[in-house]
Amino acid sequence: LAMAVEKKNWPESGLYYPQFMMFPYTFSRAWRDGGAREGPMPAAADKLLLDVLKVQKDWEKATPSHPGSFPGGEDRSDQLSTALGLITLLNLGEETAIRVGQVEAYRRAMARAASYLVKTGQENKYHNKIATKVRFGDIKPRAWETGLFFAASFWALGQWRSEAYAVAMVLEALSKYALAYDQSG
């Protein structure tokens, strides 16, 4: 993981998982949830945070109508990749942003990604309207673009998308953001 970050070959490393933000998300889960913080990992986390902030900033310049989003790479949609990008930032944590001197850029990137996800959620149908209203009040269900999740080794041969996976990643991103997950180790 650290070598892929150091050599910056992670954007091309997802043979079966071509979603551009999949590697940063996976790295951040190893960092945050797997305890992979020894040896070269702290320096790699610092570099990856800077890389991810730059990816979002460059993508915003290229697609000003999608402020706060992250690119999907081979996948032309950006909602799943934005969820993965936001989770990555949250998992790497504010402590990493402090270490690299990018706290304000970090906070702004997270706020813009969360805002983009909230704004782009499309109204969806209720699966069980009565139970949902009892539990959550008068909310409107949302869904996001499916995004490319998995592909055959020859991407044109087969691609798999999942609305459930996309919504789960958005839910993880927005929940962690609402809980200020980046503030605790």
Side-chain angles (χ1 to χ4, degrees), residues 7-26:
K7 293 183 176 184
K8 200 169 182 192
N9 61 12
W10 64 262
E12 295 83 30
S13 65
L15 178 61
Y16 297 108
Y17 299 95
Q19 182 60 246
F20 186 73
M21 294 306 295
M22 186 59 75
F23 178 87
Y25 167 79
T26 304

Side-chain angles (χ1 to χ4, degrees), residues 2 11 14-15 17 26 54 94 142 145 153 155 166 171 174 184:
L15 178 61
Y17 299 95
T26 304
K54 184 175 182 338
E94 188 169 274
R142 298 276 185 230
E145 293 176 297
S153 54
W155 293 344
L171 181 61
L174 294 177
S184 65

Side-chain angles (χ1 to χ4, degrees), residues 125-137 139 141:
K125 64 181 175 158
Y126 284 96
H127 292 284
N128 187 332
K129 189 173 186 174
I130 295 170
T132 300
K133 283 188 176 268
V134 166
R135 292 180 180 171
F136 297 105
I139 65 163

Side-chain angles (χ1 to χ4, degrees), residues 98-163:
I98 291 168
R99 214 170 34 248
V100 298
Q102 293 294 317
V103 176
E104 290 308 314
Y106 172 78
R107 289 177 182 161
R108 187 173 50 252
M110 287 191 308
R112 291 175 66 76
S115 177
Y116 182 75
L117 290 172
V118 169
K119 288 177 184 174
T120 58
Q122 299 296 310
E123 194 168 324
N124 201 2
K125 64 181 175 158
Y126 284 96
H127 292 284
N128 187 332
K129 189 173 186 174
I130 295 170
T132 300
K133 283 188 176 268
V134 166
R135 292 180 180 171
F136 297 105
D138 194 22
I139 65 163
K140 302 220 183 309
R142 298 276 185 230
W144 287 264
E145 293 176 297
T146 58
L148 179 57
F149 171 64
F150 185 78
S153 54
F154 297 103
W155 293 344
L157 184 60
Q159 297 182 356
W160 290 266
R161 297 169 180 274
S162 167
E163 181 180 4

Side-chain angles (χ1 to χ4, degrees), residues 26-49:
T26 304
F27 179 101
S28 77
R29 290 295 303 266
W31 172 260
R32 175 69 186 238
D33 301 325
R37 294 179 176 233
E38 304 291 323
M41 290 298 283
D46 292 353
K47 182 173 180 353
L48 184 63
L49 177 67

Side-chain angles (χ1 to χ4, degrees), residues 50-88:
L50 294 171
D51 288 347
V52 168
L53 291 174
K54 184 175 182 338
V55 163
Q56 186 193 46
K57 188 175 180 181
D58 291 348
W59 186 245
E60 282 188 350
K61 286 179 185 174
T63 58
S65 62
H66 294 214
S69 65
F70 283 87
E74 290 295 319
D75 182 8
R76 298 299 173 220
S77 68
D78 61 10
Q79 292 171 359
L80 174 58
S81 57
T82 300
L84 294 171
L86 177 54
I87 296 166
T88 297

